[in-house]
Amino acid sequence: MAFLLRKKTEDTRESLEKELEYQKKLTHIINQIHSATDTEEILINLQDEILSLFDADRITIYAVDGINKQIYSKFKTGDEINEIRVKVDNNSIAGYCAWTAKVINISNVYDEEELKKVAPHLRFDKSWDQKTRYRTRQVLAAPIIYKRYILGVIQLINKKGAERFNENDEKSIKEIANVLGIAFFKNQRAVQKTTRTKFDYLIRNNIITPQDLARAMSIARKLKRSVESVLIKDFNVPKEEIGKALSEFYQTRFISFDPNMPVPGDLLQGLKPGFLKYHGFVPIAKEDGKIIVAMEDPNFLPARDVISRILPGEKFEYWVSTKEDIEKIIDHFFSTQKPPVIDSSIESLLTKLEVEEKEEEEEEEEYISEEDSTIVQLVNKIIIDAYNRGASDIHIEPQPGKKPVLIRIRVDGVCQIYQTIPHIYKNALISRIKIMADLDISERRLPQDGKIQFKKYAPLDIELRVATIPTINQNEDVVLRILHSGEPIPLEKLQMSERDYKAFLDIIQKPYGMVLVVGPTGSGKTTTLHAALKHINTPEKKIWTAEDPVEITQEGLRQVQVMPKIGFDFAAALRAFLRADPDVIMIGEIRDKETAAAAIEASLTGHLVFSTLHTNNAPETIVRLLDMGMDPFNFADAILGILAQRLARTLCPDCKEKYHPSREEFDLLARLYGENFEELGIEYNSDLFLYRPKGCPKCNNTGYRGRVALFELLIGTPQIKSLIQKKAPVEELRKQAIKDGMRTLMQDGIRKIFLGLTDLRQVKSVCMEV
């Protein structure tokens, strides 16, 4: 008995001694790392001690690469591969450790069942073993964290004297990982204190290393480029990260070049591009009484003095930009890099204009002729630039007093500033457009409408619809709609739902009846009608169209331009068509009772009639026509279907960001869709993803590029025809249409959200929640 007690005491003492020795080694390692000034050097010195402590075969310490969302081997034993890089995801144990910030302890990395117990989708990347011919068995990995930020991962491989790393190993590796987190952070701070640069943000966030920055500076000196451009092009640092670094360093906003930046014509008068590039600045806008100036170095006082001298009496706000972006902005403002169709830039055109001012008692008269060659070129360039940017409309908006004329263009349904022009040119500018549109230049009190055949004035075959509207302070606004001519698009590319596509095909192939496409101006009604006509355009059918104007041309169609000024309106064209043996008639728009009645009559006498109407939705169209005085029985017999549509901006396919929506967001979409949501077959789970805008150069950092049509198709079923005859209210018509299979504009929009084409913000901007 005494022997057993003595034996137990000796074993306990030996165990305590081993534990004390273990803690002593661990404390020594932690203290050495904590007091080191160079983390990599101390790890080289301590590698044998660390491996001995854990009885491990190999060690790898990873650091985070913030750009590529990877971790890379900052320090490792084993020389088969120079560097290991893995993504921060579940396709590797180290990557999963960084992703989840959890300690991972695996006894057999080739046992998929054991990996699944850690995480259902966790994988071990076997390719490293195949490359090195080194067999990995056990792995113990811990995240290196400082103040909740993941800075890296420490990973031990293969426990020599056991089948797995034990709980004591897990506790110890966490302690070492914690002190490594402090050491990593201390090293970054030491680098920042000794060599404070514009790029501290990049180093602090592990986007680049101090060694990367030194190499970039060396390359920049040799190639005579800016360090920023070297980091972007040679080190793949995103420009937005460069912008964050510069903004933090200079304590001001960062501005990047945007090809759609409005040209501040009033700020650039008298300035030369070479002068601006030499001094490294350019004025870009005026906001809240301050001139915004983009500079390479907002703290450079000599450049600020130059700015104050050339723009005396002004207040300034200095923003930072890269040297290359400032030069691009200057080239864009002065159009020196890409010669436009017209061989002059906006600014050079403005500076050519000679202003003669004559002081009067009450006001200053402006004497610039609308026939001045530079004004002519200026108007042509505005139109050509807008066309090249895909704009649908140009808005010329004179401001009160001596404020500059604002010119905006509408692209993808959204207005954006194109440029500003000094106020002294506003009358000549508007008069020039009136001359081109054959309007009365002396009449400034009444609205006027006209058209411009632009090929008369420049080598571009487009037509523009012009509207002038008197505004306050004896000004006139001008809106020019660019009518893009072109080929019709195939019906199957309109992205209708399967039900709408089949139903629409069915009604447009009927021998007679009326098909209406409805929606606001610019919602794509004409495009849809021509897509339908293209589908049924065969040699067996005689198709007449009356349009104002003819935007899309098709072979096989007999297309007519109406001229209301001489009495040849839609109703007159329709009457003429009925005498010309038609099978199909397309009327550009039903604007009055006479046209509506004639269209219904034509559809009841053996003709298929297409037309458009400006209404909000399909059921409302029925009530609108009945309110216009249409006979409900004739209208009910004639109607085949009504297609309502809107255009929503689409997410840019090159940069849209995939994300997993919250339960609340999913429930909101389901609620907006309504009681038929189950028919989409979409359930909330971990595999559900939506898309949101991000922004890239191709979409001018808006996150949106192009538009998609949302549809609502009401079919003239017997039940709908019966309700029309009874003059039922809109709500009854809507309920019956939905019962018949119609899905609202909002529902089609939500369907396209789940398809990844657009987002809820864009759908709600064009649809009512009904």
Side-chain angles (χ1 to χ4, degrees):
M1 187 69 179
F3 171 77
L4 290 174
L5 287 171
R6 189 166 59 251
K7 174 68 173 167
K8 187 176 180 181
T9 303
E10 288 176 358
D11 288 345
T12 302
R13 185 168 59 250
E14 186 178 347
S15 176
L16 286 171
E17 287 175 354
K18 284 183 178 179
E19 179 64 26
L20 287 170
E21 183 64 25
Y22 181 91
Q23 287 298 326
K24 185 178 179 181
K25 288 181 179 179
L26 177 61
T27 303
H28 177 260
I29 291 169
I30 289 173
N31 289 338
Q32 289 293 307
I33 296 172
H34 191 70
S35 60
T37 55
D38 188 331
T39 307
E40 289 192 40
E41 183 181 348
I42 197 63
L43 288 172
I44 292 171
N45 295 334
L46 291 174
Q47 60 178 313
D48 291 336
E49 289 186 45
I50 296 172
L51 292 173
S52 173
L53 179 71
F54 292 96
D55 196 21
D57 188 44
R58 292 193 174 187
I59 181 173
T60 305
I61 294 178
Y62 295 91
V64 170
D65 176 350
I67 298 176
N68 300 308
K69 296 182 179 178
Q70 295 177 337
I71 53 174
Y72 65 94
S73 54
K74 187 180 181 74
F75 167 81
K76 68 182 184 67
T77 56
D79 56 3
E80 295 90 350
I81 295 176
N82 290 330
E83 183 183 67
I84 301 172
R85 279 185 174 268
V86 294
K87 290 185 178 179
V88 179
D89 58 19
N90 57 7
N91 288 316
S92 69
I93 293 171
Y96 183 74
C97 176
W99 193 25
T100 60
K102 294 179 180 178
V103 175
I104 311 296
N105 190 352
I106 307 292
S107 63
N108 183 0
V109 295
Y110 285 86
D111 186 345
E112 293 185 359
E113 291 303 317
E114 183 180 2
L115 295 177
K116 284 182 181 178
K117 289 178 183 178
V118 176
H121 303 292
L122 180 60
R123 297 286 181 270
F124 169 65
D125 190 350
K126 301 171 186 176
S127 64
W128 297 108
D129 279 7
Q130 293 167 358
K131 291 175 186 175
T132 61
R133 297 183 182 179
Y134 176 85
R135 178 75 174 186
T136 304
R137 296 185 304 276
Q138 303 95 349
V139 169
L140 176 62
I144 298 171
I145 301 173
Y146 182 78
K147 290 187 177 179
R148 295 183 297 175
Y149 291 101
I150 301 292
L151 301 181
V153 171
I154 178 171
Q155 179 175 269
L156 298 170
I157 300 173
N158 292 351
K159 181 84 168 175
K160 292 179 180 178
E163 292 184 358
R164 68 179 301 131
F165 291 96
N166 56 42
E167 290 184 11
N168 204 30
D169 293 331
E170 290 184 18
K171 291 178 183 177
S172 299
I173 200 171
K174 283 178 72 175
E175 289 187 51
I176 293 175
N178 287 338
V179 76
L180 280 173
I182 297 170
F184 279 16
F185 180 75
K186 280 170 60 180
N187 283 356
Q188 290 177 356
R189 289 293 297 271
V191 170
Q192 291 167 15
K193 286 179 181 178
T194 54
T195 56
R196 187 170 182 270
T197 73
K198 296 184 288 185
F199 310 106
D200 293 344
Y201 168 88
L202 303 178
I203 295 172
R204 188 172 65 251
N205 288 279
N206 297 307
I207 296 171
I208 60 172
T209 65
Q211 294 79 8
D212 290 335
L213 180 58
R215 284 169 51 211
M217 289 178 169
S218 176
I219 293 170
R221 282 193 297 270
K222 289 178 183 176
L223 301 180
K224 295 183 179 179
R225 289 162 50 193
S226 71
V227 179
E228 292 89 339
S229 71
V230 173
L231 288 171
I232 292 169
K233 293 180 181 178
D234 299 346
F235 290 79
N236 298 317
V237 178
K239 185 186 280 188
E240 54 265 30
E241 298 296 339
I242 296 288
K244 290 176 184 177
L246 296 177
S247 181
E248 178 185 270
F249 183 78
Y250 289 109
Q251 292 295 296
T252 187
R253 283 184 58 177
F254 172 78
I255 183 166
S256 181
F257 169 68
D258 180 352
N260 289 327
M261 292 176 78
V263 180
D266 53 327
L267 300 179
L268 299 174
Q269 288 188 79
L271 299 179
K272 302 297 181 184
F275 172 82
L276 295 173
K277 287 181 181 180
Y278 176 79
H279 289 284
F281 70 82
V282 58
I284 56 173
K286 191 167 186 176
E287 296 179 3
D288 300 326
K290 293 181 180 179
I291 294 176
I292 308 298
V293 181
M295 300 181 68
E296 291 177 49
D297 181 357
N299 295 336
F300 189 54
L301 295 179
R304 285 194 178 197
D305 289 340
V306 172
I307 295 167
S308 300
R309 286 199 304 272
I310 62 173
L311 295 168
E314 299 283 357
K315 294 181 179 179
F316 301 97
E317 187 172 330
Y318 302 100
W319 293 359
V320 67
S321 189
T322 66
K323 178 177 184 289
E324 287 75 17
D325 272 2
I326 285 177
E327 290 182 352
K328 286 179 182 178
I329 293 170
I330 294 168
D331 288 338
H332 167 63
F333 285 174
F334 291 87
S335 299
T336 56
Q337 197 162 21
K338 291 183 180 178
V341 177
I342 298 174
D343 192 22
S344 294
S345 69
I346 287 290
E347 180 55 27
S348 64
L349 290 172
L350 294 179
T351 53
K352 283 181 186 176
L353 292 171
E354 294 183 0
V355 181
E356 297 179 6
E357 297 182 359
K358 182 179 178 180
E359 295 293 334
E360 298 279 333
E361 289 184 2
E362 295 184 52
E363 65 178 6
E364 181 184 78
E365 295 289 344
E366 295 143 11
Y367 293 92
I368 303 174
S369 169
E370 63 275 357
E371 296 294 346
D372 188 298
S373 63
T374 312
I375 281 288
V376 170
Q377 293 179 61
L378 179 63
V379 172
N380 289 354
K381 178 161 176 56
I382 291 169
I383 294 171
I384 290 170
D385 278 359
Y387 175 81
N388 289 337
R389 294 188 187 186
S392 60
D393 301 88
I394 304 168
H395 298 257
I396 298 174
E397 303 169 345
Q399 306 298 309
K402 294 186 178 182
K403 292 182 180 178
V405 179
L406 182 65
I407 299 179
R408 297 193 291 167
I409 59 176
R410 188 182 296 276
V411 180
D412 289 340
V414 178
C415 278
Q416 56 185 241
I417 296 174
Y418 164 64
Q419 67 182 44
T420 57
I421 292 178
H423 74 285
I424 51 177
Y425 309 136
K426 64 184 178 185
N427 287 346
L429 189 68
I430 292 168
S431 294
R432 174 59 190 167
I433 294 170
K434 284 183 175 181
I435 288 171
M436 294 170 73
D438 197 22
L439 301 178
D440 184 355
I441 63 171
S442 63
E443 180 56 74
R444 300 174 63 179
R445 300 167 299 171
L446 295 174
Q448 298 186 68
D449 297 311
K451 293 175 185 174
I452 296 174
Q453 295 292 339
F454 193 57
K455 64 181 178 181
K456 295 179 182 178
Y457 308 100
L460 185 61
D461 188 10
I462 58 172
E463 186 175 332
L464 298 103
R465 196 156 46 197
V466 181
T468 69
I469 303 171
T471 53
I472 59 171
N473 298 310
Q474 298 181 334
N475 286 322
E476 277 184 291
D477 275 29
V478 179
V479 180
L480 299 92
R481 163 149 288 198
I482 301 174
L483 305 172
H484 294 268
S485 59
E487 293 291 320
I489 64 175
L491 194 61
E492 60 270 17
K493 290 190 177 180
L494 294 182
Q495 295 179 306
M496 291 182 176
S497 67
E498 186 177 355
R499 177 262 177 188
D500 287 355
Y501 180 68
K502 289 179 179 178
F504 193 64
L505 276 185
D506 180 59
I507 62 174
I508 67 174
Q509 295 179 102
K510 299 287 186 185
Y512 57 87
M514 176 183 279
V515 177
L516 297 174
V517 179
V518 303
T521 300
S523 60
K525 300 185 296 294
T526 302
T527 300
T528 300
L529 278 181
H530 271 278
L533 291 175
K534 179 181 174 67
H535 191 83
I536 62 173
N537 184 9
T538 62
E540 293 79 25
K541 285 189 173 70
K542 181 65 177 284
I543 303 175
W544 286 95
T545 76
E547 302 171 69
D548 184 22
V550 177
E551 296 183 50
I552 301 172
T553 57
Q554 290 190 56
E555 287 188 16
L557 268 58
R558 309 311 302 153
Q559 296 177 262
V560 172
Q561 169 78 55
V562 299
M563 299 180 183
K565 288 183 179 179
I566 62 171
F568 185 46
D569 55 14
F570 285 121
L574 182 52
R575 289 192 297 270
F577 291 165
L578 292 173
R579 298 190 294 269
D581 188 28
D583 293 304
V584 180
I585 296 170
M586 194 267 269
I587 300 298
E589 184 184 343
I590 292 176
R591 294 177 178 172
D592 50 44
K593 179 179 178 181
E594 184 183 4
T595 307
I600 290 172
E601 183 182 344
S603 66
L604 292 173
T605 54
H607 307 98
L608 182 61
V609 177
F610 293 90
S611 191
T612 71
L613 206 66
H614 288 108
T615 55
N616 291 322
N617 54 57
E620 184 184 300
T621 304
I622 294 170
V623 176
R624 175 75 62 83
L625 286 167
L626 292 176
D627 288 345
M628 287 172 66
M630 297 303 100
D631 180 84
F633 291 92
N634 286 345
F635 181 39
D637 288 343
I639 195 68
L640 293 174
I642 302 171
L643 181 72
Q645 71 179 71
R646 297 286 188 281
L647 293 179
R649 297 172 81 190
T650 49
L651 295 164
C652 175
D654 292 298
C655 69
K656 63 182 180 182
E657 187 176 41
K658 189 177 182 180
Y659 74 100
H660 177 60
S662 66
R663 183 76 206 196
E664 291 76 14
E665 184 177 357
F666 177 82
D667 290 343
L668 173 62
L669 292 172
R671 180 184 66 77
L672 290 173
Y673 193 91
E675 59 184 13
N676 298 309
F677 182 70
E678 294 78 13
E679 68 191 9
L680 295 180
I682 297 170
E683 296 181 354
Y684 186 79
N685 53 47
S686 59
D687 295 326
L688 176 66
F689 291 98
L690 298 179
Y691 292 86
R692 58 191 169 202
K694 184 178 180 182
C696 68
K698 288 189 177 180
C699 63
N700 297 319
N701 293 311
T702 63
Y704 301 97
R705 182 152 56 96
R707 289 190 286 178
V708 64
L710 312 182
F711 295 105
E712 174 180 289
L713 179 59
L714 179 150
I715 299 297
T717 61
Q719 293 82 3
I720 287 290
K721 291 177 184 288
S722 176
L723 290 174
I724 293 173
Q725 291 169 354
K726 296 174 185 177
K727 292 189 174 182
V730 170
E731 195 53 41
E732 279 190 48
L733 290 164
R734 179 182 290 109
K735 286 179 180 177
Q736 183 59 50
I738 291 173
K739 191 175 179 181
D740 294 338
M742 182 187 86
R743 294 298 172 258
T744 65
L745 291 163
M746 175 63 76
Q747 289 174 319
D748 193 43
I750 291 170
R751 182 180 72 86
K752 282 163 181 167
I753 290 172
F754 283 110
L755 290 174
L757 297 173
T758 187
D759 60 15
L760 184 59
R761 178 186 173 192
Q762 298 305 318
V763 171
K764 292 183 79 171
S765 71
V766 295
C767 297
M768 298 288 286
E769 294 183 26
V770 293

mmCIF file of all heavy atoms in Angstrom, residues 92 96 115 143 155 169 217 260 295 340 363 396 429 462 527 532 557 662 705 712 721 741:
data_model
loop_
_atom_site.group_PDB
_atom_site.id
_atom_site.type_symbol
_atom_site.label_atom_id
_atom_site.label_comp_id
_atom_site.label_asym_id
_atom_site.label_seq_id
_atom_site.Cartn_x
_atom_site.Cartn_y
_atom_site.Cartn_z
ATOM 1 N N SER A 92 -10.412 24.900 -47.906
ATOM 2 C CA SER A 92 -9.169 24.496 -47.257
ATOM 3 C C SER A 92 -9.345 24.708 -45.756
ATOM 4 O O SER A 92 -10.181 25.518 -45.333
ATOM 5 C CB SER A 92 -7.984 25.308 -47.776
ATOM 6 O OG SER A 92 -8.081 26.655 -47.355
ATOM 7 N N TYR A 96 -10.716 28.073 -44.096
ATOM 8 C CA TYR A 96 -11.938 28.004 -43.291
ATOM 9 C C TYR A 96 -11.701 28.587 -41.898
ATOM 10 O O TYR A 96 -12.576 29.246 -41.327
ATOM 11 C CB TYR A 96 -12.406 26.555 -43.181
ATOM 12 C CG TYR A 96 -13.705 26.393 -42.426
ATOM 13 C CD1 TYR A 96 -14.918 26.762 -43.000
ATOM 14 C CD2 TYR A 96 -13.717 25.881 -41.137
ATOM 15 C CE1 TYR A 96 -16.114 26.625 -42.309
ATOM 16 C CE2 TYR A 96 -14.907 25.738 -40.436
ATOM 17 C CZ TYR A 96 -16.100 26.106 -41.023
ATOM 18 O OH TYR A 96 -17.281 25.985 -40.335
ATOM 19 N N LEU A 115 -14.453 15.848 -41.519
ATOM 20 C CA LEU A 115 -14.523 17.236 -41.996
ATOM 21 C C LEU A 115 -15.961 17.750 -41.963
ATOM 22 O O LEU A 115 -16.213 18.904 -41.604
ATOM 23 C CB LEU A 115 -13.959 17.335 -43.413
ATOM 24 C CG LEU A 115 -12.463 17.030 -43.589
ATOM 25 C CD1 LEU A 115 -12.090 17.110 -45.060
ATOM 26 C CD2 LEU A 115 -11.605 17.990 -42.781
ATOM 27 N N PRO A 143 -6.973 31.091 -35.600
ATOM 28 C CA PRO A 143 -6.950 32.416 -36.243
ATOM 29 C C PRO A 143 -6.076 33.399 -35.466
ATOM 30 O O PRO A 143 -6.079 33.400 -34.233
ATOM 31 C CB PRO A 143 -8.417 32.850 -36.212
ATOM 32 C CG PRO A 143 -8.980 32.153 -35.016
ATOM 33 C CD PRO A 143 -8.254 30.837 -34.914
ATOM 34 N N GLN A 155 -0.893 27.460 -38.272
ATOM 35 C CA GLN A 155 -1.305 26.077 -38.544
ATOM 36 C C GLN A 155 -0.163 25.107 -38.231
ATOM 37 O O GLN A 155 0.966 25.294 -38.699
ATOM 38 C CB GLN A 155 -1.720 25.928 -40.013
ATOM 39 C CG GLN A 155 -2.149 24.524 -40.400
ATOM 40 C CD GLN A 155 -2.667 24.473 -41.824
ATOM 41 O OE1 GLN A 155 -3.853 24.626 -42.060
ATOM 42 N NE2 GLN A 155 -1.779 24.264 -42.773
ATOM 43 N N ASP A 169 -3.065 21.437 -26.452
ATOM 44 C CA ASP A 169 -2.492 22.039 -27.663
ATOM 45 C C ASP A 169 -3.392 23.160 -28.193
ATOM 46 O O ASP A 169 -2.910 24.204 -28.645
ATOM 47 C CB ASP A 169 -2.307 20.973 -28.742
ATOM 48 C CG ASP A 169 -1.250 19.943 -28.383
ATOM 49 O OD1 ASP A 169 -0.320 20.310 -27.643
ATOM 50 O OD2 ASP A 169 -1.363 18.790 -28.837
ATOM 51 N N MET A 217 7.515 51.873 -55.394
ATOM 52 C CA MET A 217 8.197 53.172 -55.487
ATOM 53 C C MET A 217 9.402 53.086 -56.406
ATOM 54 O O MET A 217 9.673 54.010 -57.192
ATOM 55 C CB MET A 217 8.620 53.634 -54.091
ATOM 56 C CG MET A 217 7.470 54.070 -53.208
ATOM 57 S SD MET A 217 8.026 54.556 -51.548
ATOM 58 C CE MET A 217 6.531 55.324 -50.899
ATOM 59 N N ASN A 260 -18.432 60.431 -67.755
ATOM 60 C CA ASN A 260 -19.672 61.192 -67.850
ATOM 61 C C ASN A 260 -19.682 62.429 -66.951
ATOM 62 O O ASN A 260 -20.737 63.001 -66.689
ATOM 63 C CB ASN A 260 -20.865 60.295 -67.500
ATOM 64 C CG ASN A 260 -21.138 59.263 -68.578
ATOM 65 O OD1 ASN A 260 -20.923 59.526 -69.756
ATOM 66 N ND2 ASN A 260 -21.579 58.094 -68.179
ATOM 67 N N MET A 295 -6.852 67.871 -56.982
ATOM 68 C CA MET A 295 -5.410 68.091 -56.946
ATOM 69 C C MET A 295 -4.679 66.788 -56.655
ATOM 70 O O MET A 295 -5.218 65.894 -55.997
ATOM 71 C CB MET A 295 -5.042 69.106 -55.846
ATOM 72 C CG MET A 295 -5.666 70.464 -56.001
ATOM 73 S SD MET A 295 -5.143 71.581 -54.671
ATOM 74 C CE MET A 295 -3.395 71.803 -55.066
ATOM 75 N N PRO A 340 -13.335 64.219 -81.266
ATOM 76 C CA PRO A 340 -14.726 63.885 -81.501
ATOM 77 C C PRO A 340 -15.068 63.994 -82.975
ATOM 78 O O PRO A 340 -14.247 64.373 -83.806
ATOM 79 C CB PRO A 340 -15.483 64.933 -80.681
ATOM 80 C CG PRO A 340 -14.547 66.093 -80.618
ATOM 81 C CD PRO A 340 -13.167 65.515 -80.628
ATOM 82 N N GLU A 363 -30.764 96.306 -67.972
ATOM 83 C CA GLU A 363 -30.240 94.953 -68.138
ATOM 84 C C GLU A 363 -29.130 94.930 -69.160
ATOM 85 O O GLU A 363 -28.937 95.854 -69.919
ATOM 86 C CB GLU A 363 -31.361 93.987 -68.551
ATOM 87 C CG GLU A 363 -31.949 94.297 -69.923
ATOM 88 C CD GLU A 363 -33.015 93.295 -70.326
ATOM 89 O OE1 GLU A 363 -33.366 92.436 -69.510
ATOM 90 O OE2 GLU A 363 -33.485 93.381 -71.468
ATOM 91 N N ILE A 396 -32.076 71.183 -72.057
ATOM 92 C CA ILE A 396 -31.331 72.445 -71.988
ATOM 93 C C ILE A 396 -32.113 73.383 -71.078
ATOM 94 O O ILE A 396 -33.248 73.758 -71.382
ATOM 95 C CB ILE A 396 -31.129 73.045 -73.388
ATOM 96 C CG1 ILE A 396 -30.295 72.059 -74.230
ATOM 97 C CG2 ILE A 396 -30.448 74.395 -73.310
ATOM 98 C CD1 ILE A 396 -30.148 72.446 -75.661
ATOM 99 N N LEU A 429 -27.919 79.701 -78.233
ATOM 100 C CA LEU A 429 -28.024 78.237 -78.225
ATOM 101 C C LEU A 429 -29.448 77.795 -78.557
ATOM 102 O O LEU A 429 -29.677 76.936 -79.421
ATOM 103 C CB LEU A 429 -27.618 77.731 -76.839
ATOM 104 C CG LEU A 429 -27.434 76.237 -76.639
ATOM 105 C CD1 LEU A 429 -26.245 75.723 -77.408
ATOM 106 C CD2 LEU A 429 -27.267 75.934 -75.153
ATOM 107 N N ILE A 462 -29.932 60.698 -87.641
ATOM 108 C CA ILE A 462 -30.929 60.517 -86.588
ATOM 109 C C ILE A 462 -31.945 61.639 -86.680
ATOM 110 O O ILE A 462 -31.713 62.679 -87.303
ATOM 111 C CB ILE A 462 -30.298 60.510 -85.174
ATOM 112 C CG1 ILE A 462 -29.536 61.822 -84.910
ATOM 113 C CG2 ILE A 462 -29.425 59.310 -84.972
ATOM 114 C CD1 ILE A 462 -29.067 61.958 -83.470
ATOM 115 N N THR A 527 -41.215 49.663 -79.364
ATOM 116 C CA THR A 527 -40.285 48.537 -79.528
ATOM 117 C C THR A 527 -41.031 47.215 -79.444
ATOM 118 O O THR A 527 -40.802 46.296 -80.250
ATOM 119 C CB THR A 527 -39.198 48.593 -78.435
ATOM 120 O OG1 THR A 527 -38.487 49.818 -78.559
ATOM 121 C CG2 THR A 527 -38.228 47.431 -78.564
ATOM 122 N N ALA A 532 -43.620 42.485 -82.183
ATOM 123 C CA ALA A 532 -44.800 41.678 -82.528
ATOM 124 C C ALA A 532 -45.030 41.656 -84.033
ATOM 125 O O ALA A 532 -45.316 40.606 -84.628
ATOM 126 C CB ALA A 532 -46.024 42.229 -81.805
ATOM 127 N N LEU A 557 -43.226 45.978 -94.384
ATOM 128 C CA LEU A 557 -44.237 46.856 -93.805
ATOM 129 C C LEU A 557 -44.379 48.092 -94.681
ATOM 130 O O LEU A 557 -43.394 48.594 -95.224
ATOM 131 C CB LEU A 557 -43.825 47.298 -92.384
ATOM 132 C CG LEU A 557 -44.298 46.462 -91.197
ATOM 133 C CD1 LEU A 557 -43.822 45.033 -91.326
ATOM 134 C CD2 LEU A 557 -43.819 47.078 -89.886
ATOM 135 N N SER A 662 -31.548 38.631 -46.324
ATOM 136 C CA SER A 662 -32.076 38.333 -44.997
ATOM 137 C C SER A 662 -33.496 37.785 -45.115
ATOM 138 O O SER A 662 -34.160 37.941 -46.146
ATOM 139 C CB SER A 662 -32.093 39.598 -44.137
ATOM 140 O OG SER A 662 -33.014 40.541 -44.678
ATOM 141 N N ARG A 705 -26.691 49.105 -65.804
ATOM 142 C CA ARG A 705 -26.390 49.316 -67.231
ATOM 143 C C ARG A 705 -27.482 48.655 -68.064
ATOM 144 O O ARG A 705 -27.688 47.449 -67.987
ATOM 145 C CB ARG A 705 -25.024 48.722 -67.574
ATOM 146 C CG ARG A 705 -24.572 48.928 -69.011
ATOM 147 C CD ARG A 705 -23.053 48.966 -69.101
ATOM 148 N NE ARG A 705 -22.435 47.787 -68.553
ATOM 149 C CZ ARG A 705 -22.053 46.728 -69.289
ATOM 150 N NH1 ARG A 705 -22.232 46.718 -70.587
ATOM 151 N NH2 ARG A 705 -21.467 45.698 -68.715
ATOM 152 N N GLU A 712 -47.351 43.283 -67.979
ATOM 153 C CA GLU A 712 -48.625 42.923 -67.349
ATOM 154 C C GLU A 712 -49.603 42.670 -68.496
ATOM 155 O O GLU A 712 -49.990 43.614 -69.186
ATOM 156 C CB GLU A 712 -49.091 44.078 -66.457
ATOM 157 C CG GLU A 712 -50.457 43.913 -65.838
ATOM 158 C CD GLU A 712 -50.818 45.116 -64.986
ATOM 159 O OE1 GLU A 712 -50.204 45.274 -63.914
ATOM 160 O OE2 GLU A 712 -51.698 45.900 -65.401
ATOM 161 N N LYS A 721 -64.677 40.153 -71.105
ATOM 162 C CA LYS A 721 -65.588 40.786 -72.063
ATOM 163 C C LYS A 721 -66.939 41.075 -71.402
ATOM 164 O O LYS A 721 -67.550 42.123 -71.632
ATOM 165 C CB LYS A 721 -65.771 39.887 -73.283
ATOM 166 C CG LYS A 721 -64.525 39.771 -74.159
ATOM 167 C CD LYS A 721 -64.747 38.802 -75.312
ATOM 168 C CE LYS A 721 -63.495 38.602 -76.151
ATOM 169 N NZ LYS A 721 -63.177 39.788 -76.959
ATOM 170 N N GLY A 741 -55.009 34.644 -64.976
ATOM 171 C CA GLY A 741 -53.580 34.363 -65.161
ATOM 172 C C GLY A 741 -52.694 35.579 -65.311
ATOM 173 O O GLY A 741 -51.477 35.455 -65.424
#
